[in-house]
Amino acid sequence: MIVYLNGSFLPQDEARVSVLDRGFLFGDGVYEVIPAYGGRLLRLDQHLDRLEHSLDGLRIRNPCDRARWREILEGLLERNPGDDRSVYLQVTRGAAAKRDHAFPPPEVEPTVFAMVTPIAQPDPASVERGVHAFTYDDTRWSRCDIKAITLLPNVLLRQQAIDAGGQEAILIRDGLATEGAASNLFIVRNGVMTTPPKDHRVLPGITRDLVVEIAQANDLPLVEADIPVADLLAADEVWLTSSTKEVMAVTELDGRPVGDGRPGPVWRRMHVLYQDYKARLREVAAG
Ligand code: PDD
């Protein structure tokens, strides 16, 4: 695998980062995960807008302009051919001469790293089985809108769900369901979709926004509003969205079936519309 590190494309096992890098010492950095279908990056501008927002939030200078980001990411895809893939990119505050919580001097350059990972298309049986999720207290900080590499609570919460026999954690803050450990949340009640508004409590998911747009374009009723835990637990359908997992139906929550325990009718409609969107993207890519 060829990766990108600080200006060069090189084999992954030759890529080296200093042990003084602030990403390594402090988790002081941000990241993006961008899917590519038919070699075309999905919603690159929106991902780069969010990257900018995350960098601003941490007061890290954006080391590349838009054209340069495009060049790096498309260059990586060219060097790592394949079907559906996602690009992971990470920017840290760089490596200073000594470990110090305070920011390093301005001449310290941010570290830029990017790599490509295949997106495994889930088999129809597992799509049909859906995701089993558990609700846990949201133990993260108060700037969940920043896509920081500091992911300890997310890691621990996801693992807690896996240890309990599930696949994802749904997080609860002040009595409200916010999002998954690595995904955004939608519920459906009486045919109406609800997803929490984009504020400091959730990551502004690109897939979430796409689902909202698809719903609007197809006159499917959707509101952006808080989701009290009681509404989550009483929902007819629960979904999770992310760049790598797309739109997943949650079929079991805290050990109890959601609806009849199978992906619901509104999810089925959205799943088809989402796959259509991807197919159009592939067609454009193929010219
Ligand atoms: N995670 N919420 C959280 C906390 C996330 O980590 C993610 C994505 C999302 C969904 O965002 P998007 O639709 O833009 O992928 C929501 C990525 C995929 C990850 O950490 O690997």
Side-chain angles (χ1 to χ4, degrees), residues 236-259:
D236 304 324
E237 299 183 27
V238 176
W239 315 340
L240 296 168
T241 64
S242 85
S243 291
T244 44
K245 301 277 171 56
E246 304 178 352
V247 188
M248 304 167 277
V250 175
T251 49
E252 205 180 280
L253 187 58
D254 292 339
R256 286 183 292 273
V258 176

Side-chain angles (χ1 to χ4, degrees), residues 31 33 50 147 179 181-184 203 205-207 241-243:
Y31 74 109
V33 178
R50 185 172 67 186
K147 201 162 172 59
E179 61 177 339
S183 51
N184 288 110
L203 186 81
I206 308 299
T207 321
T241 64
S242 85
S243 291

Side-chain angles (χ1 to χ4, degrees), residues 6 122 138 233 268:
N6 296 331
D138 194 342
L233 298 178
R268 282 183 202 285

Side-chain angles (χ1 to χ4, degrees), residues 2-16:
I2 301 297
V3 303
Y4 173 89
L5 180 65
N6 296 331
S8 310
F9 292 100
L10 70 174
Q12 185 205 305
D13 57 5
E14 290 173 20
R16 297 277 180 278

Side-chain angles (χ1 to χ4, degrees), residues 59-61 93-96 102-110:
R59 296 161 60 194
I60 296 176
R61 181 172 55 78
R93 206 182 302 275
F103 290 178
E107 62 271 16
V108 171
E109 291 288 329

